[in-house]
Amino acid sequence: SQQGEEDPQALSIQEGENATMNCSYKTSINNLQWYRQNSGRGLVHLILIRSNEREKHSGRLRVTLDTSKKSSSLLITASRAADTASYFCAYPINTNAGKSTFGDGTTLTVKP
Amino acid sequence: GAGVSQTPSNKVTEKGKYVELRCDPISGHTALYWYRQSLGQGPEFLIYFQGTGAADDSGLPNDRFFAVRPEGSVSTLKIQRTERGDSAVYLCASSLSGTNNEQFFGPGTRLTVL
């Protein structure tokens, strides 16, 4: 079973709106990553945030990390139809382990 | 440069058969991961290699599953006596090292056990 939880499970918005997805976890981590997946195949890495960082930006993406609440959020601004995909957070099980846990993802639909 | 590649892209087999799934990681990446993903769920960790050795195989569901990486590059995931419940997309990923590095994923192999 997965140790992370993402919410919402599904999100439907209009093009141009912002989309926010949240991830909660239960263990101590040294980094957390967000991935995107189209059509149930390979995942694409979006952004990595380390435990000593609170916020990170990449283009239209903004990721926050609150280690006190064991939660992270991914914000996509000015969404486009091409952003339609599933988004997953992932983090190492132990602080120095290669083993990562993925949440069950948020399915985002952006309507043109 | 080339990304992570996986072959075959699709594999249909009958219950009880043996299958091998191959992963070619990005050149120079020492860490390699196998995941399994069922419909509507996130990837589930199976095994992680650092170089030639399996650093963590705690995700392998049972002894029918085995993976090797004999030369520290290409890896093969082997499933014996396949069962219908093994049907899933098997994803491989590689990274520069095992920690604090982004993982680069292959397109996956969709395994269907009839």
Side-chain angles (χ1 to χ4, degrees), chain B residues 68-85:
Chain B
V68 296
R69 195 186 185 198
E71 297 177 356
S73 177
V74 171
S75 176
T76 305
L77 177 65
K78 307 179 180 188
I79 310 174
Q80 298 177 321
R81 305 182 302 280
T82 52
E83 300 177 357
R84 293 194 179 88

Side-chain angles (χ1 to χ4, degrees), chain B residues 16-32:
Chain B
K17 298 291 186 182
Y18 167 83
V19 296
E20 289 190 352
L21 311 179
R22 176 187 169 107
C23 173
D24 282 81
I26 292 173
S27 178
H29 281 193
T30 62
L32 184 146

Side-chain angles (χ1 to χ4, degrees), chain A residues 19-79:
Chain A
T20 299
M21 291 159 267
N22 303 295
C23 168
S24 61
Y25 56 92
K26 298 178 182 177
T27 63
S28 296
I29 61 173
N30 60 6
N31 73 78
L32 184 142
Q33 304 182 41
W34 283 90
Y35 289 83
R36 164 196 169 120
Q37 185 177 42
N38 290 84
S39 305
R41 299 307 286 260
L43 284 81
V44 174
H45 183 268
L46 296 176
I47 199 163
L48 180 152
I49 186 165
R50 302 186 191 282
S51 59
N52 61 354
E53 297 175 313
R54 291 295 171 260
E55 188 170 310
K56 203 163 183 180
H57 297 253
S58 177
R60 294 184 294 112
L61 306 180
R62 181 172 77 97
V63 167
T64 63
L65 179 64
D66 187 334
T67 53
S68 67
K69 295 181 179 178
K70 290 186 166 58
S71 68
S72 175
S73 68
L74 169 67
L75 168 68
I76 303 175
T77 60
S79 64

Side-chain angles (χ1 to χ4, degrees), chain B residues 38-76:
Chain B
S38 300
L39 191 64
Q41 298 183 8
E44 174 191 8
F45 172 84
L46 297 177
I47 186 169
Y48 151 58
F49 287 89
Q50 185 61 256
T52 60
D56 187 335
D57 64 357
S58 61
L60 294 177
N62 51 59
D63 61 6
R64 294 187 298 105
F65 289 74
F66 188 72
V68 296
R69 195 186 185 198
E71 297 177 356
S73 177
V74 171
S75 176
T76 305

Side-chain angles (χ1 to χ4, degrees), chain A residues 1-2 30-31 33 35 37 39-45 48 50 88 92 95-105, chain B residues 9-10 33 35 37 40-45 48 56 58-59 89 91 98-103 105-110:
Chain A
S1 63
Q2 306 289 18
N30 60 6
N31 73 78
Q33 304 182 41
Y35 289 83
Q37 185 177 42
S39 305
R41 299 307 286 260
L43 284 81
V44 174
H45 183 268
L48 180 152
R50 302 186 191 282
F88 297 90
T95 54
N96 292 315
K99 176 180 179 178
S100 291
T101 284
F102 282 76
D104 282 337
Chain B
S9 56
N10 286 282
Y33 314 78
Y35 295 88
Q37 186 176 26
Q41 298 183 8
E44 174 191 8
F45 172 84
Y48 151 58
D56 187 335
S58 61
V89 175
L91 296 166
T99 57
N100 286 334
N101 289 121
E102 66 177 281
Q103 297 181 29
F105 280 80
T109 293
R110 185 178 298 279

